[in-house]
Amino acid sequence: MFATLLDTWARGMLRVARSYVSTDDSAEEVVQDTWLAVIGAIDGFEGRSSVKTWVYRILVNTAKKRSVRESRTLPWSAFERDAGPAVDPARFDGIDAALPASWKEAPAAWPTPEGQALAAEVRGLIGEALATLPPRQRIVITLRDVEGCTSEEVCEILEISAVNQRVLLHRARAAVRDLLESYFESVKQPE
């Protein structure tokens, strides 16, 4: 059950953590530290909120602490390191095969370039829009619209009032909408 929970929440937790820290590697460490804190504090869970809200609250606190620490230093994860072979050698036939070093199994067909380009372009625009938001707006819209948290969960995770959460979400959505509308107006095709 714990493994299922990890798989289900991992991406969302990474996105929230990434809102606070400077690198993807740091965000992964924050999520890992969060799970360790959850395991260590599980006996203290009083059930006054949902488990998800409790875990995300720990995540936000952990990410804030890491962000403060990162602002004073540059993490090792920021330095480039050797990533190993570009393709896993196990995907190729060995020297005993009829055609050594050929694909064992042909790679899967990729999505169409046009569809992927359009989807990536819109995701990029949304990412740019989110990056320009003030931090409080960015975290609220990430929790609500990307992670699907309820307004009550967001209020509890961020320790803000419902009114404040609504204002931050409204302003964030309006800013993202304005950027997307401006972009689509500029690329509108003549009819």
Side-chain angles (χ1 to χ4, degrees):
M1 184 173 183
F2 185 68
T4 303
L5 193 62
L6 283 173
D7 292 340
T8 304
W9 291 356
R11 278 192 175 153
M13 291 175 73
L14 279 171
R15 277 191 291 268
V16 170
R18 189 63 174 92
S19 295
Y20 288 96
V21 296
S22 61
T23 66
D24 292 338
D25 290 333
S26 289
E28 289 176 8
E29 290 173 11
V30 166
V31 171
Q32 190 175 42
D33 290 347
T34 298
W35 283 117
L36 291 172
V38 165
I39 291 168
I42 196 74
D43 291 337
F45 178 64
E46 297 174 357
R48 288 184 284 163
S49 63
S50 70
V51 174
K52 183 176 183 179
T53 302
W54 181 66
V55 170
Y56 270 75
R57 184 75 213 135
I58 294 171
L59 173 74
V60 167
N61 287 334
T62 305
K64 284 180 179 178
K65 288 177 192 171
R66 175 64 62 99
S67 176
V68 168
R69 194 172 20 175
E70 280 184 358
S71 68
R72 295 187 302 255
T73 61
L74 184 62
W76 282 108
S77 60
F79 295 101
E80 191 172 323
R81 58 179 177 251
D82 182 23
V87 178
D88 182 7
R91 295 183 66 190
F92 299 102
D93 285 326
I95 55 174
D96 300 342
L99 292 171
S102 62
W103 290 102
K104 285 183 180 177
E105 193 175 303
W110 293 353
T112 64
E114 182 181 78
Q116 288 297 101
L118 292 173
E121 189 173 345
V122 171
R123 277 193 308 273
L125 283 170
I126 292 171
E128 286 175 25
L130 291 175
T132 64
L133 295 174
R136 290 173 52 87
Q137 290 179 18
R138 183 173 56 243
I139 192 66
V140 168
I141 197 171
T142 300
L143 286 169
R144 284 295 308 276
D145 294 347
V146 179
E147 297 309 313
C149 292
T150 66
S151 59
E152 293 82 16
E153 289 172 330
V154 173
C155 291
E156 194 168 335
I157 290 168
L158 300 178
E159 296 177 332
I160 59 177
S161 69
V163 171
N164 193 3
Q165 185 268 159
R166 281 192 303 271
V167 168
L168 291 168
L169 182 62
H170 173 74
R171 289 179 180 165
R173 285 177 175 168
V176 171
R177 186 181 316 109
D178 286 348
L179 184 120
L180 290 173
E181 283 177 354
S182 297
Y183 172 78
F184 286 121
E185 285 294 320
S186 71
V187 296
K188 191 181 278 186
Q189 305 254 339
E191 295 177 18

